[in-house]
């Protein structure tokens, strides 16, 4: 175990690397599991709690209250870094690949793949989702309840190369290059 000099300076340590099967990417990688060194009351984390897996130390910020709960994985790709910053929370069985998750973003309540995307501000994503090359910001909210047609059963919603700003959606399937600003959409 890599031990810090002062536990009040950092919030987690990295446990020894082990091979982890990454479900949504159909492969395995050698990754570090994180372990809390201090309480993070905002997310219900106690010192000693195990968290998710990261590829490198700098992926999860040591400052603020961001956290990756057990069951989730954050990796980078060759061209896109991966960061979890601010007070962001990843809670579920999500694979975050080559993406930046920051500010007060919450991703919870399901499983999914977030690939080469940027989520910021007060975005909240609930349920099973696949994001690819997508930017979501502002006070956006996405609730994923039922699978859309033409999408693998694993995901309730798909966003591909879409920018969402201050928008709210339930059960969405959007792809193509475009931006959506201040929209509320509730599929019935």
């Amino acid at each position: 175990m890599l031990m810090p000099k002062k536990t009040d300076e950092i919030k987690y340590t990295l446990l020894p690397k082990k091979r982890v099967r990454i479900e949504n990417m159909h492969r395995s990688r050698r990754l570090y599991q994180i372990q809390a060194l201090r309480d993070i009351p905002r997310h219900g984390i106690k010192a000693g709690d195990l968290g998710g897996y990261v590829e490198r130390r700098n992926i999860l910020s040591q400052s603020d209250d961001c956290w990756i709960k057990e069951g989730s994985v954050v990796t980078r790709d060759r061209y896109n870094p991966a960061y979890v910053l601010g007070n962001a929370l990843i809670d579920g069985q999500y694979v975050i690949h080559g993406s930046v998750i920051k500010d007060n973003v919450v991703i919870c309540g399901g499983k999914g793949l977030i690939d080469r995307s940027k989520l910021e501000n007060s975005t909240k994503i609930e349920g099973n989702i696949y994001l690819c090359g997508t930017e979501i910001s502002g006070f956006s909210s996405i609730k994923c309840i039922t699978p859309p047609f033409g999408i693998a059963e694993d995901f309730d919603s798909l966003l591909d190369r879409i920018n969402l700003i201050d928008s709210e959606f339930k059960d969405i399937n959007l792809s193509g290059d475009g931006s959506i600003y201040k929209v509320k959409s509730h599929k019935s």
Side-chain angles (χ1 to χ4, degrees), residues 46-64:
K46 302 280 186 203
D49 285 356
L50 294 177
Y53 291 89
V54 295
E55 186 176 25
R56 294 186 166 187
R57 177 178 299 280
N58 67 345
I59 284 178
L60 178 65
S61 172
Q62 290 284 6
S63 59
D64 299 317

Side-chain angles (χ1 to χ4, degrees), residues 143-169:
K143 285 191 177 193
C144 312
I145 300 167
T146 57
F149 295 103
I151 303 302
E153 291 179 13
D154 287 349
F155 305 111
D156 296 336
S157 292
L158 163 75
L159 287 120
D160 185 13
R161 299 181 323 266
I162 299 293
N163 297 329
L164 297 178
I165 303 150
D166 292 332
S167 300
E168 184 177 332
F169 288 91

Side-chain angles (χ1 to χ4, degrees), residues 99-119:
S99 298
V100 176
I101 313 297
K102 65 181 193 172
D103 303 326
N104 293 306
V105 170
V106 174
I107 304 168
C108 63
K111 63 182 178 178
L113 174 61
I114 298 175
D115 188 24
R116 295 166 297 167
S117 295
K118 181 178 180 182
L119 284 63

Side-chain angles (χ1 to χ4, degrees), residues 43 52 60 66-74 83-84 87-96 101 105-108 114:
H43 300 310
L60 178 65
C66 56
W67 190 251
I68 304 162
K69 287 200 174 180
E70 197 166 15
S72 290
V73 173
V74 181
Y83 297 108
V84 179
N87 297 316
L89 174 66
I90 302 169
D91 182 8
Q93 295 181 335
Y94 295 96
V95 175
I96 313 296
I101 313 297
V105 170
V106 174
I107 304 168
C108 63
I114 298 175

